[in-house]
Amino acid sequence: MKVSYNWLKNYANVNIDAEKVSEILTDCGLEVEGFEKIQTIKGGLEGLVIGEILTKEKHPDADRLNLTTVNVGGENALQIVCGAPNVAVGQKVVVAPIGTTLYSGEESFKIKKSKIRGALSEGMICAEDEIGIGKSHEGIMVLDNSSKVGIPVKDYFNIEDDYVFEIGLTPNRADATGHFGVARDLIAVLNQNENFEFLKPSVADFKIDNTSLNISVEVNNFELCPRYSGLTIQNIEVKESPDWLKNKLLSIGLIPINNVVDVTNFVLHETGQPLHAFDAAKIVGNKVVVKTVDDKSKFITLDEVERELSNEDLMICNSEKPMCIAGVFGGIDSGVSSNTTSIFLESAYFNAVSVRKSAKRYGLNTDASFRFERGADPNITIYALKRAALLIQEVAGGKVSSEIVDLYPSPIQNFNIDFSYSNCDRLIGKSIDRNLIKNILQSLEIEISKETSEGLELSVPPFKVDVTRESDVIEEVLRIYGYNNIELPDSLTSSLSYREKPDKEKITNLISEQLIANGFNEVLSNSLSKSAYYADTDDQSVRMKNPLSRDLDVLRQSMLYNGLETIVYNQNRKATDLKLYEWGKTYLKNDSKFKEDSHLSIFVTGREELESWNSTSDNVDFFFTKGIVNSIVEKFGFDKMHFQVEDATSDKLDYGLKYSVNKNELVQFGKVKTSIQNQFSIDKEVFYADFNYDNLVKLVAQNKVVFKEVAKFPSVRRDLALLLDKTIAYSRVKELAVKQDKKLLKEVNLFDVYEGKNLPNGKKSYGISFTFLDENKTLTDGQIDKVMGKIISVLKTELNAELR
């Protein structure tokens, strides 16, 4: 949210430099994320001066050009070639002399002495779009005849520099969504040492001029619209806003539209209360109805997009059709235009949840929805209405032509809170002067209903939506008093805590460090996901009762889709060689029971190594992924030979493996199905590993890693070349071999696979190595031959294997 320093000073008459104000706001909880000096008009109109056209003659060599002489207050008049059709002698104009820089968007150019069709030109007579204060280019800008020749144009238009604070407003700070709220906090901080007053603009001059335009209001759902206020104004003139109003809006990045709309935007950013102006002539039946409409009704919004409404959307309607999505966005047919002469001005308090649902449903994030979603002030609607009406009369004329309509059947009451000094001292860690506490609370407009020696009875206004408990009040006191003013204690107290072993956090960090060392980057994604991903298992989805959007309506059942979304995001930004990992949880529902599991997911795609002159161009594959998985398993001393290894081909994997221990799944990994990749428009192969982290931690607890000396005796390797049926998996060969001798056989490894020429049909050749070791003595050939004989025999018997 942007806040203007000059604008802020209208309500807090303080003489503090902008940088100091930035520090104060950050310290009291309104973190200033950006701070910059701005000019409401790019370049600040520097170098431009007011001139008077003395003479005008036709250019001898160009029909559409004129030779003019212009007095700019110097000793000599300037000769300027001008092509504008409306140039005339005696006009007061804006002149850019030689050396002046003009801006067009982000581009700029400097005025130079030049010849145009052979005639000398010593400057430029400007149109309003050329100096950035308008959009018209129909001719040069003609100023009032009373304008003084030679004065800077920036003084004529009263252009002033300003500072803008970009505040990272947290969702709980609904009280600070306008300049009023920011000024309130600033004054509360400063009032600890001085005495400043909050300068709230008066609306005492507001009056009802007549009642010739009455528009009735009907609210059908007070739960979604607890308060609705409005009035009418007739005989207005819709035109360009005065400079002061345009400058205020420009300073915070808003584009002026017209005087009526600009006033509603001004009051919104001043008070935090959104307003909406309807063209009264377009309110059919002179009646406003606040209600929900039929599901899938069509409605065209201001951005000219036709939207399909939900029956949950609160709409502002006339007697025939919708005019506005309440608290979110106006309709194209009911807004103020240049032909508008009468308006109905709305100031309402809408249900925060309802507004947020509607805004998210249509992907709209407007200044109004930003405030209503957080919870506006229900008691400021009438003040904002009067303030806007007075400003509209000031800039557009007109008469207030109706009584104020105010439908508020169930007024929202203040929060009553008991505040204990002792609790305040205990939570803050310091005893703050009681008078200072009362001063802070009163500066924040929190009323003191009763005072005792032990504490206060407080009445908290509804605009403090996050202050509902005593601890909330204590937090308010602390943030204004200043966190930095709480001294660090001289002593440090602590307690010894028992942590279960194995330490889950330590295991997480060890694995993360290993993956990072291998070139991986960690991913942090949302646990909320899209229900469309889980259409086949929809009955197991944990659904949100109040989803932020259709794309975030369930808790994820798998880590896969979040990873693929991340890959797409990176590939769309030309990052195609990815090694990613993520810690997260998955959620499943089984009847009325819920299951929550912790996971480690790994994704690899693209090249093994980053592109370089001395790196290979090999792409990652299944075996690269298997190597990463095995390195994690071996990190904690697991013996892969004792895993149950199974085929992991599934609805998510084209092919892969699954490791289990005692029927507890540890990890499955493989290549992501091509059909799933196609849904995400991913061309390169993606390999995915999914660890059940809960099971991994349990296994680590059961598996003690013990130091073991390096064997003193040599190991012996024997190789076999086996001819097998193509249908036989290597895992079956390994399983049978390990069963023959678990004492001496230390490792079985597949080092070669051959299929093709010189082999019978349906056959393949495996090259397999067997490593033997006796840790107490040197093995003899007889011992090894005996074990190898058993292995060969069982392979022939069980698998019909042949030695090559």
Side-chain angles (χ1 to χ4, degrees):
M1 184 185 78
K2 291 187 176 181
V3 173
S4 159
Y5 174 61
N6 289 341
W7 196 344
L8 196 62
K9 290 197 294 183
N10 291 340
Y11 320 114
N13 189 18
V14 296
N15 188 23
I16 304 174
D17 65 75
E19 192 167 349
K20 180 63 177 176
V21 170
S22 173
E23 294 175 5
I24 292 172
L25 294 178
T26 297
D27 287 344
C28 73
L30 297 174
E31 184 179 0
V32 177
E33 298 177 338
F35 170 68
E36 63 175 332
K37 181 178 180 180
I38 66 160
Q39 296 166 318
T40 52
I41 296 174
K42 183 123 177 124
L45 305 182
E46 290 289 343
L48 298 173
V49 295
I50 294 178
E52 181 180 7
I53 298 176
L54 303 177
T55 65
K56 167 193 165 186
E57 298 177 359
K58 280 290 182 185
H59 192 293
D61 296 322
D63 293 338
R64 296 185 179 182
L65 299 179
N66 296 294
L67 300 179
T68 66
T69 54
V70 185
N71 175 22
V72 293
E75 294 183 6
N76 301 313
L78 302 180
Q79 178 173 303
I80 298 176
V81 177
C82 180
N86 63 329
V87 65
V89 174
Q91 290 174 333
K92 300 292 180 64
V93 293
V94 175
V95 178
I98 294 170
T100 303
T101 299
L102 297 180
Y103 296 86
S104 176
E106 295 301 318
E107 298 181 356
S108 64
F109 64 95
K110 183 176 285 189
I111 302 297
K112 299 178 180 179
K113 188 174 184 178
S114 60
K115 285 189 175 183
I116 301 176
R117 292 289 185 93
L120 180 67
S121 184
E122 299 175 298
M124 177 177 172
I125 304 174
C126 302
E128 63 179 44
D129 67 325
E130 292 168 331
I131 62 174
I133 65 171
K135 297 180 180 179
S136 174
H137 195 72
E138 295 177 355
I140 59 172
M141 189 175 190
V142 180
L143 306 178
D144 189 87
N145 278 331
S146 62
S147 306
K148 187 176 179 180
V149 172
I151 69 168
V153 171
K154 69 175 183 178
D155 293 342
Y156 176 84
F157 287 109
N158 195 26
I159 298 298
E160 57 183 9
D161 292 337
D162 195 1
Y163 294 89
V164 168
F165 310 111
E166 183 74 43
I167 294 178
L169 197 67
T170 52
N172 64 315
R173 292 304 309 276
D175 61 306
T177 55
H179 285 72
F180 273 14
V182 177
R184 184 190 298 115
D185 275 11
L186 177 62
I187 290 170
V189 174
L190 297 175
N191 275 353
Q192 295 181 67
N193 301 310
E194 300 180 57
N195 187 21
F196 291 96
E197 183 181 356
F198 178 46
L199 305 175
K200 188 175 182 178
S202 172
V203 292
D205 292 336
F206 174 83
K207 68 181 192 307
I208 309 297
D209 297 304
N210 58 66
T211 56
S212 60
L213 181 57
N214 289 311
I215 292 179
S216 63
V217 176
E218 177 185 319
V219 177
N220 290 350
N221 192 327
F222 280 108
E223 182 181 351
L224 301 185
C225 178
R227 187 174 193 179
Y228 193 91
S229 310
L231 56 78
T232 62
I233 305 176
Q234 283 183 308
N235 302 324
I236 62 170
E237 181 186 359
V238 178
K239 57 184 178 181
E240 185 179 352
S241 295
D243 294 331
W244 71 266
L245 180 53
K246 289 194 293 185
N247 288 340
K248 281 285 191 289
L249 298 180
L250 288 167
S251 69
I252 57 172
L254 296 183
I255 299 174
I257 298 172
N258 60 53
N259 50 357
V260 175
V261 175
D262 291 350
V263 164
T264 61
N265 285 332
F266 174 85
V267 174
L268 179 151
H269 287 275
E270 178 183 60
T271 65
Q273 171 62 32
L275 303 172
H276 193 77
F278 297 93
D279 188 330
K282 297 176 182 177
I283 301 178
V284 179
N286 277 0
K287 184 177 183 179
V288 170
V289 183
V290 184
K291 63 177 183 177
T292 55
V293 296
D294 292 337
D295 199 32
K296 297 186 179 180
S297 300
K298 304 296 184 182
F299 180 66
I300 301 177
T301 46
L302 273 173
D303 54 2
E304 300 183 0
V305 175
E306 184 178 74
R307 303 180 189 275
E308 194 173 84
L309 300 175
S310 164
N311 56 10
E312 295 182 357
D313 294 324
L314 186 67
M315 303 297 295
I316 311 300
C317 309
N318 55 39
S319 61
E320 293 183 357
K321 59 183 180 180
M323 299 187 294
C324 174
I325 304 175
V328 181
F329 210 29
I332 196 168
D333 294 327
S334 60
V336 174
S337 68
S338 57
N339 299 320
T340 300
T341 58
S342 301
I343 62 168
F344 175 76
L345 191 60
E346 167 195 278
S347 179
Y349 174 72
F350 298 116
N351 179 280
V353 174
S354 172
V355 171
R356 182 166 180 79
K357 280 185 175 181
S358 293
K360 293 300 179 184
R361 188 174 290 120
Y362 306 113
L364 296 170
N365 182 21
T366 62
D367 285 335
S369 68
F370 177 84
R371 285 152 179 83
F372 281 127
E373 287 173 10
R374 284 159 171 75
D377 181 3
N379 296 328
I380 203 174
T381 60
I382 299 299
Y383 172 85
L385 206 57
K386 292 179 177 180
R387 173 74 167 145
L390 289 170
L391 289 172
I392 288 172
Q393 288 180 302
E394 177 185 332
V395 302
K399 300 290 184 181
V400 177
S401 303
S402 72
E403 297 289 342
I404 293 178
V405 176
D406 185 26
L407 302 181
Y408 195 20
S410 302
I412 298 173
Q413 304 299 321
N414 287 8
F415 307 112
N416 294 317
I417 299 174
D418 291 329
F419 176 86
S420 165
Y421 289 132
S422 61
N423 285 341
C424 182
D425 295 343
R426 179 175 58 84
L427 289 179
I428 291 177
K430 178 179 180 178
S431 180
I432 300 176
D433 182 83
R434 304 326 188 199
N435 289 326
L436 181 54
I437 290 176
K438 290 186 286 185
N439 181 40
I440 289 173
L441 294 174
Q442 289 168 340
S443 295
L444 294 174
E445 299 184 24
I446 296 175
E447 299 175 12
I448 299 174
S449 305
K450 184 180 178 180
E451 180 180 0
T452 67
S453 59
E454 295 180 351
L456 307 168
E457 290 183 12
L458 303 175
S459 180
V460 181
F463 69 77
K464 288 279 186 185
V465 295
D466 68 322
V467 182
T468 58
R469 304 167 300 169
E470 181 187 28
S471 57
D472 298 329
V473 178
I474 294 171
E475 183 184 2
E476 290 290 281
V477 171
L478 177 56
R479 71 177 183 83
I480 298 300
Y481 178 74
Y483 294 97
N484 294 334
N485 292 326
I486 306 299
E487 298 84 0
L488 292 173
D490 296 328
S491 61
L492 178 65
T493 58
S494 64
S495 61
L496 295 175
S497 60
Y498 171 77
R499 299 192 70 170
E500 290 187 10
K501 291 187 177 182
D503 188 332
K504 195 171 183 178
E505 292 298 320
K506 187 174 181 180
I507 295 173
T508 300
N509 291 335
L510 284 172
I511 295 175
S512 293
E513 289 168 3
Q514 179 167 331
L515 289 171
I516 291 169
N518 281 280
F520 281 76
N521 289 300
E522 184 173 5
V523 173
L524 294 173
S525 62
N526 199 335
S527 294
L528 295 175
S529 188
K530 187 189 300 186
S531 58
Y533 292 151
Y534 312 105
D536 294 339
T537 55
D538 186 63
D539 59 325
Q540 298 182 49
S541 292
V542 181
R543 291 190 168 274
M544 297 293 100
K545 288 185 177 180
N546 181 25
L548 297 173
S549 72
R550 294 174 184 175
D551 290 341
L552 299 170
D553 58 344
V554 297
L555 288 170
R556 64 187 172 198
Q557 295 183 25
S558 167
M559 304 284 288
L560 174 63
Y561 300 106
N562 295 69
L564 295 179
E565 287 175 349
T566 304
I567 289 172
V568 171
Y569 182 87
N570 281 272
Q571 288 188 350
N572 288 343
R573 287 155 182 80
K574 307 303 180 184
T576 57
D577 304 322
L578 301 170
K579 298 176 185 175
L580 309 172
Y581 74 96
E582 179 176 14
W583 300 98
K585 293 188 176 183
T586 60
Y587 310 85
L588 291 172
K589 182 182 73 172
N590 185 6
D591 295 329
S592 59
K593 295 182 180 180
F594 296 91
K595 185 181 180 185
E596 179 179 326
D597 292 321
S598 297
H599 289 262
L600 164 64
S601 59
I602 294 172
F603 300 85
V604 290
T605 183
R607 297 161 57 103
E608 280 191 29
E609 300 178 36
L610 293 178
E611 188 175 10
S612 174
W613 66 273
N614 63 347
S615 66
T616 64
S617 58
D618 296 338
N619 286 333
V620 295
D621 56 16
F622 172 79
F623 298 102
F624 176 85
T625 310
K626 182 181 178 184
I628 296 296
V629 169
N630 288 344
S631 70
I632 293 173
V633 169
E634 292 167 0
K635 180 81 173 177
F636 299 98
F638 294 121
D639 184 352
K640 299 191 299 299
M641 291 179 65
H642 297 98
F643 286 155
Q644 290 90 50
V645 181
E646 303 171 61
D647 180 18
T649 303
S650 65
D651 59 338
K652 295 183 177 66
L653 300 178
D654 277 334
Y655 56 85
L657 291 178
K658 178 169 69 174
Y659 291 171
S660 301
V661 178
N662 298 326
K663 297 184 179 180
N664 292 316
E665 181 182 316
L666 179 63
V667 60
Q668 59 175 315
F669 57 94
K671 180 192 170 297
V672 176
K673 266 194 176 298
T674 304
S675 58
I676 295 178
Q677 287 191 204
N678 291 341
Q679 292 176 28
F680 290 83
S681 300
I682 299 174
D683 297 328
K684 292 188 176 181
E685 290 185 331
V686 177
F687 294 90
Y688 167 59
D690 181 34
F691 281 86
N692 186 314
Y693 190 52
D694 294 322
N695 286 344
L696 176 62
V697 172
K698 288 178 185 176
L699 291 172
V700 171
Q702 298 167 9
N703 186 62
K704 291 185 179 180
V705 178
V706 181
F707 169 75
K708 191 176 183 181
E709 287 187 8
V710 176
K712 297 178 181 179
F713 300 95
S715 61
V716 177
R717 169 173 162 165
R718 293 286 174 88
D719 294 347
L720 289 180
L722 299 173
L723 190 65
L724 299 159
D725 291 339
K726 283 187 177 181
T727 56
I728 296 174
Y730 162 68
S731 59
R732 179 64 175 150
V733 176
K734 182 176 179 180
E735 179 186 354
L736 290 171
V738 170
K739 285 182 178 179
Q740 306 315 303
D741 189 297
K742 295 182 179 180
K743 182 179 177 182
L744 300 181
L745 182 59
K746 300 300 182 184
E747 185 177 356
V748 180
N749 181 52
L750 176 67
F751 64 84
D752 183 56
V753 178
Y754 175 73
E755 297 179 30
K757 190 176 179 181
N758 298 327
L759 290 182
N761 289 335
K763 296 289 186 177
K764 63 183 174 183
S765 174
Y766 275 174
I768 301 177
S769 66
F770 303 85
T771 303
F772 299 90
L773 174 68
D774 189 330
E775 296 176 0
N776 299 313
K777 60 184 179 181
T778 302
L779 288 169
T780 64
D781 288 340
Q783 289 176 295
I784 298 170
D785 290 343
K786 183 178 180 180
V787 177
M788 286 299 297
K790 289 181 180 180
I791 293 172
I792 293 170
S793 176
V794 75
L795 293 179
K796 286 182 177 179
T797 303
E798 297 290 334
L799 305 180
N800 198 27
E802 299 178 32
L803 293 179
R804 294 186 65 199

